[in-house]
Amino acid sequence: MLLQLAAWPEVEGYLRSSTAIIVPIGSTEQHGPHLPLGTDAINVDHLCTKAAENQGGALVAPCVRYGVSHNHIDFPGSVTLEPETLIALTLDILRSLYHNGFRRFLIVNGHGGNNDTIDVAAIKARKVM
């Protein structure tokens, strides 16, 4: 089930049987002249959706479609976030979901430039949740 396509009563029902949610994080950046800028976000979103289906209907949060991509910024259409922005965004998402009753989070990263930033966000999340 995709969180953005669910009505809140469906999410409430889901939370009666599971408190897990998959949070995909990608990027919008160049991948050569032959691939779309959203390749990382498209891939991780698809991977998470298929994994959820294979696990009997786990819930998937909307994909974060921007990441830390400073080394790609000179390619037209590439978008980058500061590491602090991605950390804050990830924490806000996790806090909101935690407030709603989710307790098990699987963050799936689709962009190598996000690795360290997501690690920091996960460390900070453990301190506040």
Side-chain angles (χ1 to χ4, degrees):
M1 179 167 49
L2 300 177
L3 182 63
Q4 70 266 23
L5 298 180
W8 74 262
E10 293 174 291
V11 177
E12 185 177 58
Y14 172 85
L15 285 166
R16 286 189 208 110
S17 62
S18 178
T19 61
I21 189 163
I22 302 169
V23 181
I25 302 178
S27 68
T28 299
E29 63 173 28
Q30 71 83 28
H31 285 86
H34 62 296
L35 291 173
L37 294 164
T39 294
D40 290 343
I42 293 165
N43 286 342
V44 75
D45 205 16
H46 181 75
L47 172 75
C48 291
T49 301
K50 289 300 178 188
E53 289 172 5
N54 290 338
Q55 291 301 312
L59 195 60
V60 181
C63 183
V64 175
R65 305 192 89 70
Y66 301 106
V68 179
S69 302
H70 293 290
N71 55 327
H72 298 278
I73 197 60
D74 289 333
F75 292 90
S78 294
V79 177
T80 189
L81 299 177
E82 291 297 321
E84 298 82 6
T85 303
L86 184 56
I87 291 167
L89 177 63
T90 302
L91 286 172
D92 283 350
I93 291 166
L94 296 177
R95 281 189 197 110
S96 295
L97 294 169
Y98 187 87
H99 177 81
N100 290 159
F102 292 94
R103 296 295 183 265
R104 295 178 38 216
F105 302 94
L106 175 60
I107 299 172
V108 181
N109 179 27
H111 170 60
N114 294 338
N115 289 341
D116 295 336
T117 304
I118 292 173
D119 287 347
V120 171
I123 291 166
K124 288 178 174 277
R126 283 192 295 259
K127 291 172 63 176
V128 299
M129 291 188 241

